[in-house]
Amino acid sequence: MKQKQTKEENLGPMKLIFNYEDVFYSFFYDDVSGCVHRSREYAMNYVYSGQMVLDNGKEQIHVRKGECVFIPRDHHITMYKKTADGERYCGIFLNFTRNFLREMYTKFEQYKIPAHTPKFKPEVIKLPQTAEITSLFASLTPFFDPGVKPQDDFMHLKLQEGLLALLHIDKRFAPTLFDFNEPWKIDIMDFMNSNYMYEFTIADLAHYTGRSLATFKRDFKKISDLTPEKWLIRKRLEVAYSMMREGGQKIADVYTKVGFKNQSHFSAAFKRQYGIAPTAVSTLQ
C-alpha cells in the first residue's frame, strides 16, 4: 500500500509535532508556556512521559505519565505541557473527525443509540486506565521514532481502537460522539463577549456560533455597525482601559490578557481609540 506523506511541524527548537493520519505525536523538550487549544473534533490525549496540565478557567486537571483524557469538540482549554521526573513531555493525540465518526457509526451496528440515552457534559474527562487504552498506546509508542513511519491504514485502525475503548468505558460516549446534528445557533454577542481575548478567525467565529460564514456576516451586520475584527479590537481596548484605570494594572500585565500579541501593537491601537498613550491612563485615576 502506498503510504501517505506524513506532516511534520517543527515549532522551534523546543517542540516538534508529527501528524500520521489524525494521530499526532508531540515532543516538548523543555517546559513551555501554555497553548490555547480548541479543536473542532473530539480527541483522546495520552501522556507518554512528562505531564500535562489542562486549565479550563475553573479548575486544573493534571494528566501524568500513562494517563489519558477525552477532550470534547469545540471545547476551549489551555494546555501546559511540562517535564516531570526528569523526562520531557511526549504525548499522543487521537483526533476523531466528523467523517471518521460517520464511517464508524455505519460500521458499529451494536452502538446504535437508544432513545433518551444521556450525553456527557462538554468537559474534559480523565479516562480510567483500562486494558484497551493501555494496549492501544503501547502499540503506538514505536512511532515516537521519526524514522519509523506507519502506514495510513494502520493508523486508521488505531483510531478505531481508540473509539472502541471509549465506547466500552461508558454508554454515554455513543450519543456524545455519534451526534451529527448541525450545531444550534448561539447568540453572537454572548459568545464574543466571553471569548474576545482569543485568536479567532471570522470562519472560527461562524463555526463556534453555529453559522455558515455568510450567515455569520449577515447576522453580525444586524447587531453592529463595525466589522467583527474592529469590534474585537474595540472590546479588547475597552477591557484593557478598565483594567488599568479601575484595577490599577500595568500595561505589561494587561495587553496579553485582552488578546494582543505584542505591547507596541496594543499601545498604537489604544492611542488611536482614546487619543492618549496607555501609560497616561494611570494619571487619570
Side-chain angles (χ1 to χ4, degrees):
M1 173 176 285
K2 184 179 179 181
Q3 184 183 34
K4 293 184 180 179
Q5 185 175 1
T6 299
K7 296 180 181 178
E8 300 182 9
E9 187 175 2
N10 192 332
L11 304 174
M14 307 308 291
K15 50 186 175 178
L16 186 67
I17 294 177
F18 296 90
N19 175 11
Y20 301 120
E21 299 300 320
D22 292 315
V23 178
F24 294 80
Y25 288 75
S26 56
F27 305 77
F28 286 68
Y29 293 90
D30 202 348
D31 291 351
V32 296
S33 58
C35 60
V36 176
H37 171 88
R38 188 159 195 165
S39 173
R40 294 185 178 183
E41 316 294 351
Y42 295 105
M44 293 172 71
N45 200 326
Y46 175 81
V47 175
Y48 176 73
S49 63
Q51 66 173 319
M52 178 173 61
V53 181
L54 306 177
D55 191 335
N56 62 14
K58 298 179 181 178
E59 63 174 342
Q60 289 190 338
I61 300 169
H62 292 260
V63 190
R64 296 176 175 82
K65 181 177 180 178
E67 294 183 329
C68 185
V69 292
F70 171 78
I71 302 176
R73 71 181 183 91
D74 297 341
H75 187 65
H76 195 188
I77 199 162
T78 303
M79 293 182 173
Y80 299 91
K81 299 176 180 181
K82 301 174 174 290
T83 56
D85 300 324
E87 294 184 318
R88 68 186 181 187
Y89 172 85
C90 294
I92 305 174
F93 190 92
L94 273 60
N95 197 42
F96 302 119
T97 66
R98 189 182 184 92
N99 287 339
F100 168 78
L101 291 172
R102 281 188 181 277
E103 175 193 347
M104 293 301 103
Y105 183 65
T106 60
K107 183 175 182 178
F108 298 154
E109 289 292 333
Q110 69 270 37
Y111 292 107
K112 299 301 182 183
I113 307 165
H116 310 300
T117 302
K119 300 179 184 178
F120 278 111
K121 294 179 180 178
E123 58 190 16
V124 172
I125 301 170
K126 183 178 279 192
L127 300 171
Q129 294 178 296
T130 64
E132 289 89 347
I133 289 178
T134 300
S135 63
L136 165 63
F137 288 104
S139 69
L140 288 168
T141 56
F143 304 107
F144 272 113
D145 180 352
V148 181
K149 307 287 187 180
Q151 297 287 349
D152 56 323
D153 57 348
F154 180 82
M155 300 312 271
H156 190 74
L157 179 61
K158 293 303 172 182
L159 286 171
Q160 292 183 48
E161 289 183 30
L163 176 60
L164 284 171
L166 292 175
L167 296 174
H168 289 167
I169 287 170
D170 194 301
K171 64 181 181 181
R172 289 174 290 177
F173 275 115
T176 300
L177 292 162
F178 296 140
D179 180 4
F180 304 115
N181 293 322
E182 291 300 318
W184 291 98
K185 287 185 180 181
I186 64 173
D187 186 88
I188 291 176
M189 281 305 169
D190 282 350
F191 181 84
M192 293 181 68
N193 276 306
S194 298
N195 296 279
Y196 65 87
M197 70 292 293
Y198 302 119
E199 187 178 357
F200 289 132
T201 65
I202 303 306
D204 289 335
L205 292 171
H207 172 78
Y208 294 132
T209 57
R211 293 164 169 83
S212 68
L213 183 58
T215 301
F216 176 84
K217 290 178 177 178
R218 183 173 63 248
D219 288 353
F220 195 84
K221 284 182 179 179
K222 297 176 184 178
I223 55 178
S224 177
D225 294 330
L226 300 173
T227 64
E229 297 90 342
K230 290 182 177 179
W231 187 95
L232 286 169
I233 291 174
R234 187 181 69 177
K235 174 68 176 181
R236 291 168 179 171
L237 293 172
E238 289 173 349
V239 174
Y241 185 96
S242 176
M243 291 170 71
M244 289 187 293
R245 185 172 183 183
E246 299 172 13
Q249 297 191 41
K250 298 178 180 179
I251 298 174
D253 299 326
V254 164
Y255 77 91
T256 55
K257 289 181 181 178
V258 298
F260 284 89
K261 286 185 171 295
N262 62 72
Q263 188 170 326
S264 61
H265 181 204
F266 167 73
S267 296
F270 191 95
K271 191 169 184 178
R272 282 196 299 270
Q273 178 155 318
Y274 292 106
I276 58 173
T279 52
V281 172
S282 58
T283 63
L284 301 176
Q285 296 182 19

